[in-house]
Amino acid sequence: MTNMNGLSVNLRGLLLVALLFVGNFASAFAATVKDIRLGVTKERTRIVLDLQSDVDFDIFLLDSPRRVVVDLPSLEWPENQPKEAGLVQKLRFGQFTADKSRLVIDAKGPVKVAKSFMLPPSSGLPHRLVIDLVKASSTEFASQVAKDRAAKRSANKTVKAPVPFAPKPQRRANSKPVIVLDAGHGGVDPGALGRKAREKSVTLAFTRELAKQLRATGKYKVYLTRNRDIYIPLRQRVNIARKHDADLFISIHADAIKRKNVRGMSIYTLSETASDKEAAALAKKENQSDIIAGIDFADQPPEVANILIDLAQRETKNLSVKFANLVVDNARGKTQLLDRTHRFAGFRVLKAPDVPSVLIELGFLTNRSDEKQLLTTSWQRKVAGALVKSVDGFFRSSRVAALR
Ligand SMILES: [Zn+2]
């Protein structure tokens, strides 16, 4: 089989961006959003952000699904979530990049931004960003999307080329195994919602505990794709793992489901054919992250594909399965497990061809007992402990050692 050390990446361009994300997070907020309000009349739906100060904003439309996206500087956002109303299906907001935040408005149908403007404080009201949406025809909507896309393209002229897949340099002998931990969702993408818990916060808390325990062993180099409440595109999470030349990638999530009695942990590895309908639906849901955050897929470079990737993938898949089995063994008795605990599906975040990768759903935020225990430190410690044991077992095995 191919030596895993012989495979690698040349991702400088993208990695620079990745570094900006993982790097300096000491950014201050430009302003605080005190409130978000919706006002509906027969003709229009008005969205108002009450702000502590004047801010610059950039507004554009995206299709499939139809969204209005508002880019803003880093803002402190409120906890409350306005209910759907008028032409607004759903509102999401949060940190988008290190210096940008984003408001994504899911539209109920084709809409038009009739007006968008800042209002100075008056009669006891603070600075306000006002966005008026009105109904439009599908054709009007589509032509505005095309116009916005063209404007964006000419504004950032850098053409993103597909990333070449090249052999990576030989790792030095005796170097510590590298583990990249990925707290799912973040920033403008909250993930699944429980009664109290938001997936993005649960995954971050658990990931921090796991990183702490792994580092305490002194045996591993541990990196996080995010260590704050920020959105990271799925492909970038994969690129961070490859940039660090990771030996193992663990993506942490928590699920939500209509049937509130369903509970327990599950673990997923990559496969083009899903092991069952539920796994396929879950992958579809998790893959929505970029859409939720308002990413325009028309501007994404295509996925790379070549024969080197196929070779690497086969070995990587076997190792991923091996690690998943260890997790199931070690977690048994420590927490409830979903039946058929290890499943397969096409998760985009597991697509690094040369990094063994798993996605763990810690439990269900829609189940009261699961939600409660996911929020307790003692449970986080215990389950993180089971994962450390699995990592130890994984790297102890001669098969993995031989590949390093
Ligand atoms: Zn998730």
Side-chain angles (χ1 to χ4, degrees):
M1 200 56 223
T2 319
N3 182 339
M4 295 295 283
N5 288 335
L7 298 166
S8 155
V9 222
N10 184 2
L11 294 166
R12 293 228 159 95
L14 282 172
L15 292 180
L16 210 77
V17 184
L19 276 174
L20 286 175
F21 275 94
V22 239
N24 196 351
F25 286 143
S27 72
F29 297 118
T32 302
V33 184
K34 293 174 180 164
D35 199 8
I36 304 172
R37 296 177 282 127
L38 287 181
V40 182
T41 66
K42 212 170 171 195
E43 292 77 36
R44 60 160 170 77
T45 301
R46 172 167 282 191
I47 299 136
V48 182
L49 266 60
D50 287 339
L51 289 152
Q52 187 193 33
S53 60
D54 204 317
V55 295
D56 289 328
F57 66 95
D58 177 28
I59 188 161
F60 58 95
L61 300 184
L62 281 180
D63 52 11
S64 10
R66 293 187 177 110
R67 288 155 291 167
V68 181
V69 179
V70 189
D71 277 345
L72 297 146
S74 285
L75 297 174
E76 206 172 350
W77 295 88
E79 286 290 316
N80 74 316
Q81 180 77 38
K83 290 252 177 310
E84 61 166 283
L87 301 166
V88 175
Q89 175 91 50
K90 202 168 182 191
L91 281 180
R92 285 183 302 266
F93 40 82
Q95 200 68 18
F96 182 62
T97 65
D99 56 1
K100 229 198 245 182
S101 57
R102 178 168 272 195
L103 169 71
V104 183
I105 305 160
D106 287 340
K108 271 195 189 142
V111 292
K112 190 159 69 181
V113 180
K115 274 189 233 158
S116 59
F117 53 94
M118 283 294 310
L119 272 178
S122 70
S123 40
L125 290 165
H127 291 273
R128 279 148 294 159
L129 169 62
V130 180
I131 299 159
D132 279 346
L133 301 182
V134 295
K135 274 192 184 150
S137 70
S138 303
T139 331
E140 278 176 305
F141 186 88
S143 91
Q144 189 59 47
V145 168
K147 245 187 254 171
D148 289 347
R149 193 168 276 153
K152 280 230 168 302
R153 276 192 189 138
S154 66
N156 38 26
K157 283 227 168 59
T158 46
V159 181
K160 284 183 233 158
V163 183
F165 184 80
K168 62 181 155 193
Q170 195 81 17
R171 165 116 27 101
R172 261 182 296 141
N174 304 326
S175 60
K176 290 178 181 175
V178 175
I179 301 164
V180 171
L181 303 179
D182 176 49
H185 311 274
V188 67
D189 169 21
L193 304 173
R195 274 154 47 99
K196 272 187 263 163
R198 281 182 298 181
E199 183 181 358
K200 66 175 183 177
S201 316
V202 169
T203 59
L204 185 57
F206 185 84
T207 301
R208 283 177 176 154
E209 172 62 28
L210 180 55
K212 195 173 92 186
Q213 290 194 26
L214 283 169
R215 285 180 181 134
T217 66
K219 291 189 276 192
Y220 310 108
K221 267 196 186 145
V222 181
Y223 299 96
L224 273 58
T225 55
R226 70 176 180 98
N227 198 5
R228 62 178 282 202
D229 185 16
I230 188 169
Y231 161 75
I232 316 254
L234 292 175
R235 197 188 301 199
Q236 198 171 312
R237 295 171 190 257
V238 176
N239 288 342
I240 291 169
R242 300 193 73 205
K243 179 190 69 129
H244 289 301
D245 203 357
D247 297 289
L248 184 61
F249 175 82
I250 306 174
S251 189
I252 300 292
H253 289 256
D255 206 353
I257 196 166
K258 281 218 173 81
R259 288 173 290 143
K260 301 219 184 300
N261 59 327
V262 177
R263 63 179 303 201
M265 187 172 122
S266 50
I267 181 161
Y268 298 80
T269 52
L270 181 68
S271 167
E272 291 315 319
T273 34
S275 51
D276 55 74
K277 259 194 214 157
E278 286 165 7
L282 178 69
K284 201 174 160 201
K285 196 166 63 181
E286 296 290 8
N287 289 345
Q288 294 274 314
S289 179
D290 291 343
I291 289 174
I292 282 166
I295 288 281
D296 188 357
F297 280 103
D299 275 346
Q300 296 285 302
E303 305 271 354
V304 265
N306 66 32
I307 194 146
L308 269 176
I309 289 189
D310 287 347
L311 280 171
Q313 239 156 14
R314 219 173 306 159
E315 188 61 29
T316 304
K317 261 183 202 172
N318 295 339
L319 290 171
S320 306
V321 167
K322 182 190 172 76
F323 180 68
N325 289 334
L326 283 165
V327 172
V328 176
D329 288 347
N330 288 307
R332 186 166 289 128
K334 297 278 189 307
T335 189
Q336 291 73 16
L337 301 177
L338 199 66
D339 30 304
R340 291 171 293 117
T341 311
H342 174 206
R343 303 183 190 201
F344 304 85
F347 292 89
R348 286 182 56 220
V349 78
L350 301 181
K351 285 198 169 170
D354 48 357
V355 182
S357 305
V358 301
L359 184 145
I360 297 175
E361 297 279 351
L362 295 172
F364 289 85
L365 294 181
T366 35
N367 178 275
R368 265 204 214 181
S369 313
D370 265 14
E371 181 184 28
K372 207 170 147 198
Q373 69 181 10
L374 257 61
L375 292 171
T376 63
T377 348
S378 59
W379 183 89
Q380 290 169 4
R381 264 190 218 134
K382 191 169 60 177
V383 174
L387 292 188
V388 173
K389 220 173 147 194
S390 312
V391 170
D392 285 345
F394 183 69
F395 287 108
R396 244 196 331 263
S397 87
S398 55
R399 180 128 181 77
V400 177
L403 290 166
R404 295 196 68 251

